[in-house]
Amino acid sequence: MRITSVKFGLHEGNDEYARNNLDKVFSHIYRATFELFDYIRIYQKESIDKKLNGISNDALIHVFPEYYRQIKPAMEDLITKIPAYKKDKDIGDPDIGVVKLYYHSIQEMREHLKKIDAMLPSLIEYEEKRKTEQAAKEQKEQDDRKKDWLVQAGIAIIGTVIGLVIGYLIPK
C-alpha cells in the first residue's frame, strides 16, 4: 500500500523508499513461504501416518515392497534436509534457490503420498484377508484344544469306569 500511495502521490517518497518497502514485502513473503512449507510438510507426515495406521509391516512388505525400499528412505532423507533449508533461510539475503529446493522436496513427498494412496486399497484388502485367516486359524486351534480336552476327559471317564468295573468284578 505504501508503494502504491507513493506512486499515486498520496504519500511522499522516492524510488529508494519504494524499493526499501518492496524489499520488506519480499522478505515477509520469503519467511511466510517457509512457514507454509513447514505446515505442508507436517500435514504430509501426519497424512502418511494416518493412512498407514493399522497397516502391518507384513502388509507393507508383501503388497507394497517399494515402500520400505524406496519411499520410506526418501521421505526420511527429505525430513533430514529440512533443517538445512531452514538454516540457509536468511531474510536479510533471501535465496530463491533454497525456496525451490524446499518446494521440490514437498513435491517429491506429494508424489510419495500419491503412491501410498494408490496402494492403500490393496493394503487394506491384504490386512482384512490376513485378519480373516488369523481368526480362522485361532478358531481351528481353539476347536483342536476343545477336541483334545474332550478326548482326554473321555479317556479319563472310560478309565474310571473300567477301573470301577474291574474293582466290582474282582472278589474281595
Side-chain angles (χ1 to χ4, degrees):
M1 291 303 293
R2 290 180 185 165
I3 297 168
T4 305
S5 66
V6 167
K7 184 175 181 177
F8 289 110
L10 302 172
H11 189 274
E12 286 190 32
N14 55 21
D15 287 344
E16 183 65 26
Y17 175 82
R19 205 173 1 266
N20 286 340
N21 276 286
L22 191 57
D23 286 344
K24 288 178 184 180
V25 168
F26 182 76
S27 293
H28 177 74
I29 291 172
Y30 183 74
R31 185 180 63 247
T33 300
F34 277 90
E35 290 172 5
L36 175 65
F37 287 172
D38 290 344
Y39 173 78
I40 291 170
R41 177 188 50 86
I42 291 167
Y43 171 79
Q44 287 174 328
K45 174 113 175 57
E46 287 176 356
S47 178
I48 290 168
D49 291 344
K50 185 177 178 183
K51 289 174 187 205
L52 296 180
N53 186 26
I55 304 295
S56 67
N57 290 338
D58 186 54
L60 289 168
I61 290 167
H62 288 92
V63 177
F64 194 22
E66 60 268 18
Y67 177 77
Y68 282 120
R69 278 192 239 129
Q70 298 166 352
I71 294 173
K72 181 111 173 137
M75 290 188 308
E76 293 299 323
D77 184 49
L78 292 173
I79 288 170
T80 60
K81 288 179 183 176
I82 290 167
Y85 300 147
K86 295 187 76 83
K87 178 184 73 67
D88 292 339
K89 175 182 80 170
D90 183 0
I91 293 170
D93 184 21
D95 182 359
I96 295 300
V98 174
V99 174
K100 287 179 180 179
L101 288 172
Y102 201 170
Y103 173 78
H104 290 299
S105 293
I106 286 176
Q107 289 301 101
E108 187 177 338
M109 186 77 85
R110 182 175 174 228
E111 292 304 314
H112 296 316
L113 267 162
K114 285 180 183 178
K115 291 175 187 174
I116 291 169
D117 285 342
M119 291 303 297
L120 209 49
S122 298
L123 291 166
I124 292 169
E125 181 182 336
Y126 180 89
E127 283 297 322
E128 289 173 358
K129 182 180 176 188
R130 191 177 69 89
K131 286 176 184 174
T132 301
E133 289 171 354
Q134 182 67 26
K137 180 182 174 186
E138 288 172 5
Q139 183 64 44
K140 184 180 181 319
E141 288 172 357
Q142 186 179 10
D143 291 347
D144 289 347
R145 282 192 301 270
K146 272 186 194 176
K147 187 190 235 182
D148 289 345
W149 184 85
L150 287 173
V151 167
Q152 290 173 2
I155 290 172
I157 292 171
I158 292 172
T160 303
V161 169
I162 291 174
L164 288 173
V165 169
I166 291 175
Y168 177 75
L169 293 176
I170 296 182
K172 294 182 190 181

